């Protein structure tokens, strides 16, 4: 009988332990995964961003990278400014969450929670794929698209997390045919919605000017590798770019502009043709070196 009680106690402890493990896994799945695309094959062009970048990735299958619909670069867990409030899989709604574009998360006390290393959007995984790309192809471009999802919040915090990643990626390198090759990192300005209602002109100017200033400041410190490149695809979606005009020559019926949602113009996301044009713009700027 005593032996039987001991066995029952061990079984109960095991069940409780398993329950705590499953709860942690459930939380992890919920708060880090919105609608997401992670794809890596033999690409040397990796793109990271939100739903608009998701459209670029779906329309241009030669790109690798990771995108999160409704995603943020700011990596704070239980952020009081989080856009989304989601339940855990156990039904609780104790915390607020945001969807983060990179898989490694920083808590309010500044410590990493350890969930980042095994996912395809984590720093360590991206670094491994970038180095593999350099070894195989001799070049690798990483594109970081500033998201509209953090618009009108404190942009210095949001930009800080973009540059934290960019500065690390700028130093990644590998040997190709006996020569050391470095990653080239591009940061793309935040691009507003069609009518500028989601992002005010004042915020847009302040955000992008701060991006420029941070890039210029870091570029002065670089000893090896390439500078951070600042880009802006705004003219493309406004039908003013050479890439748009050239595409129209070969696709006279192209639907350049914004996508439709429920029969009305979306004013934020784009049509397939527009994503193809933006993809071509990225491709041309991501030349071998």
């Amino acid at each position: 009988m005593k032996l039987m009680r001991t066995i029952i106690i061990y079984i109960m402890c095991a069940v409780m332990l398993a329950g705590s493990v499953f709860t942690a896994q459930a939380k992890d799945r919920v708060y880090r995964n919105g609608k997401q695309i992670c794809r890596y094959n033999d690409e040397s062009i990796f793109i990271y961003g939100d739903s608009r970048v998701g459209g670029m990735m779906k329309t241009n299958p030669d790109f690798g990278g990771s995108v999160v619909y409704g995603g943020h670069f700011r990596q704070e867990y239980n952020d009081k400014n989080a856009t989304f409030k989601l339940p855990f899989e156990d039904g609780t709604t104790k915390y607020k969450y945001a969807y983060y574009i990179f898989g490694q998360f920083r808590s309010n006390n500044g410590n990493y929670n350890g969930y980042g290393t095994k996912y395809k959007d984590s720093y360590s995984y991206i670094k491994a794929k970038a180095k593999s790309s350099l070894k195989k192809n001799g070049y690798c471009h990483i594109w970081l698209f500033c998201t509209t999802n953090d618009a009108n919040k404190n942009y210095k915090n949001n930009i800080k997390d973009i540059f934290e990643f960019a500065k690390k990626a700028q130093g990644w390198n590998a040997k190709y045919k006996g020569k050391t090759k470095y990653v080239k990192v591009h940061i793309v300005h935040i691009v507003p919605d069609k009518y500028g209602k989601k992002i005010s002109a004042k915020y847009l100017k302040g955000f992008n000017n701060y991006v420029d200033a941070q890039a210029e400041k870091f570029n002065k410190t670089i000893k090896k590798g390439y500078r951070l490149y600042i880009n802006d695809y705004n003219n493309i979606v406004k039908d003013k770019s050479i890439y748009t005009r050239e595409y129209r020559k070969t696709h006279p019926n192209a639907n350049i502009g914004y996508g439709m949602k429920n029969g009305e113009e979306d004013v934020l996301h784009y049509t397939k043709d527009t994503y193809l044009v933006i993809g071509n713009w990225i491709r041309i700027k991501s030349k071998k070196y």
Side-chain angles (χ1 to χ4, degrees):
M1 184 65 70
K2 184 176 181 180
L3 177 61
M4 182 61 69
R5 284 200 300 268
T6 303
I7 291 173
I8 292 172
I9 290 171
Y10 275 121
I11 291 173
M12 291 178 65
C13 290
V15 170
M16 291 174 65
L17 179 60
S20 66
V21 171
F22 292 145
T23 300
Q25 290 176 341
K27 290 180 181 181
D28 185 36
R29 286 198 298 272
V30 173
Y31 74 67
R32 64 172 303 285
N33 286 330
K35 183 180 178 183
Q36 186 176 33
I37 302 174
C38 284
R39 180 176 68 220
Y40 294 96
N41 294 311
D42 294 325
E43 304 91 344
S44 277
I45 302 175
F46 302 154
I47 61 178
Y48 300 89
D50 58 8
S51 55
R52 290 198 287 192
V53 184
M56 297 175 203
M57 182 174 276
K58 287 198 295 185
T59 313
N60 298 274
D62 53 320
F63 295 158
S66 177
V67 299
V68 178
Y69 287 67
H72 304 253
F73 281 103
R74 194 175 183 189
Q75 300 164 9
E76 292 178 349
Y77 173 60
N78 196 20
D79 179 8
K80 66 180 180 180
N81 294 316
T83 304
F84 303 96
K85 183 174 183 178
L86 299 175
F88 284 155
E89 291 181 2
D90 62 7
T92 62
T93 56
K94 181 178 180 181
Y95 303 106
K96 289 185 177 180
Y97 309 98
Y99 297 156
Y100 302 109
I101 292 163
F102 296 131
Q104 188 162 343
F105 304 96
R106 191 167 55 233
S107 66
N108 284 340
N109 63 11
N111 295 324
Y112 285 102
N113 64 18
Y115 283 130
T117 57
K118 61 183 177 180
Y119 297 107
K120 292 182 179 180
D121 54 356
S122 66
Y123 284 16
S124 56
Y125 193 95
I126 297 168
K127 181 179 180 179
K129 299 306 293 186
K131 290 172 74 71
S132 175
S133 176
L134 289 170
K135 291 176 182 177
K136 182 177 178 62
N137 302 321
Y139 71 104
C140 179
H141 293 265
I142 288 180
W143 289 78
L144 307 175
F145 287 79
C146 296
T147 171
T148 62
N149 298 318
D150 295 305
N152 304 317
K153 295 186 174 69
N154 186 332
Y155 54 73
K156 291 186 179 180
N157 286 332
N158 301 327
I159 294 169
K160 178 181 177 182
D161 279 337
I162 296 173
F163 274 85
E164 181 178 308
F165 177 87
K167 292 173 183 179
K168 291 178 180 178
Q170 184 274 338
W172 294 345
N173 64 84
K175 290 288 186 180
Y176 176 76
K177 294 183 178 180
K179 295 183 179 180
T180 301
K181 298 289 186 176
Y182 284 84
V183 169
K184 286 188 177 181
V185 180
H186 306 257
I187 299 175
V188 183
H189 278 161
I190 191 171
V191 174
D193 57 296
K194 183 175 182 179
Y195 299 113
K197 292 182 179 180
K198 186 176 178 66
I199 306 173
S200 68
K202 182 179 179 180
Y203 180 90
L204 185 72
K205 182 178 180 180
F207 186 105
N208 288 337
N209 284 348
Y210 191 73
V211 168
D212 294 345
Q214 292 302 301
E216 184 179 358
K217 180 179 178 180
F218 176 72
N219 286 341
K220 291 178 179 178
T221 71
I222 293 174
K223 298 293 189 296
K224 294 181 180 180
Y226 300 95
R227 64 184 179 86
L228 301 182
Y229 296 86
I230 303 299
N231 300 269
D232 194 332
Y233 66 93
N234 199 28
N235 281 339
I236 291 175
V237 301
K238 288 185 176 180
D239 201 16
K240 296 179 180 179
S241 170
I242 181 67
Y243 306 112
T244 310
R245 294 197 297 271
E246 290 300 315
Y247 187 78
R248 282 193 181 279
K249 288 180 182 178
T250 54
H251 300 75
N253 297 318
N255 183 5
I256 300 294
Y258 292 82
M260 305 292 286
K261 185 176 181 181
N262 299 326
E264 297 182 358
E265 190 176 54
D266 182 279
V267 309
L268 181 64
H269 302 92
Y270 306 117
T271 63
K272 180 179 179 180
D273 284 312
T274 306
Y275 282 130
L276 286 171
V277 170
I278 296 173
N280 191 48
W281 170 78
I282 296 170
R283 214 170 282 112
I284 289 173
K285 288 181 174 291
S286 299
K287 295 179 180 178
K288 296 180 181 180
Y289 51 86

